[in-house]
Amino acid sequence: PKEDAGSAVSTDLKQVLGMKPEARAKWLAKALQQAHPQDGRLAPKAIFDIIAHAKFANDVGEKAGQRMYRVVHANVSLFSSKQMKFLEKECALAKQFAGSAFAAAQAEEEDKAATAMEDMMARCRAFVREKQSER
């Protein structure tokens, strides 16, 4: 039986912590979506209490954990500034996966930045040469 689209996901801590890691990842994405003001089925506080729990990231694999952290990070504005700080740096999910969640994307960004820097320096050198030849 297909779940009713109108029903909010569970915010029962024991129930969520009892889910398999992959199901917990799906729960997280759905719960955060339902906490958005446009949806409003869930209060961010109820979700925060679950994500912030020490056992929330238990047994979560690298890929799923990184994905979960990215989902939290993308929706962190739903929470108070104190909660944001905790979710981004101090909760179990952050401690385990924050460092690697954006690593691949970051390495790509750094390559782009290095290339952009080299291009800019090349333009600067060309500009200097051009100005010196005008003297």
Side-chain angles (χ1 to χ4, degrees):
K2 195 169 173 285
E3 193 178 308
D4 175 24
S7 68
V9 295
S10 170
T11 52
D12 178 68
L13 181 65
K14 280 199 171 94
Q15 195 179 341
V16 176
L17 294 180
M19 294 175 176
K20 285 184 165 61
E22 208 40 59
R24 229 176 303 148
K26 285 187 176 123
W27 171 89
L28 178 64
K30 207 177 265 184
L32 287 167
Q33 192 177 9
Q34 292 181 358
H36 270 275
Q38 306 91 281
D39 188 311
R41 280 181 274 186
L42 295 178
K45 169 85 175 99
I47 300 166
F48 174 82
D49 292 341
I50 295 173
I51 302 170
H53 194 279
K55 292 183 178 171
F56 184 70
N58 278 10
D59 306 318
V60 171
E62 194 70 15
K63 281 243 189 294
Q66 290 171 350
R67 190 169 63 244
M68 287 166 78
Y69 180 77
R70 285 193 302 265
V71 167
V72 168
H73 191 271
N75 293 282
V76 79
S77 62
L78 291 169
F79 304 98
S80 73
S81 56
K82 200 172 182 179
Q83 290 172 331
M84 282 182 182
K85 188 177 167 197
F86 184 80
L87 291 175
E88 290 191 301
K89 296 188 171 70
E90 297 155 29
C91 71
L93 197 62
K95 282 182 176 161
Q96 289 179 46
F97 304 108
S100 61
F102 296 101
Q106 196 173 347
E108 202 172 291
E109 283 301 310
E110 286 168 2
D111 285 350
K112 281 183 194 166
T115 303
M117 179 68 79
E118 286 168 22
D119 289 349
M120 186 186 74
M121 290 305 293
R123 287 193 303 274
C124 287
R125 286 190 294 271
F127 178 79
V128 169
R129 278 194 299 273
E130 185 184 312
K131 290 298 169 199
Q132 283 180 329
S133 68
E134 288 173 9
R135 286 182 171 168

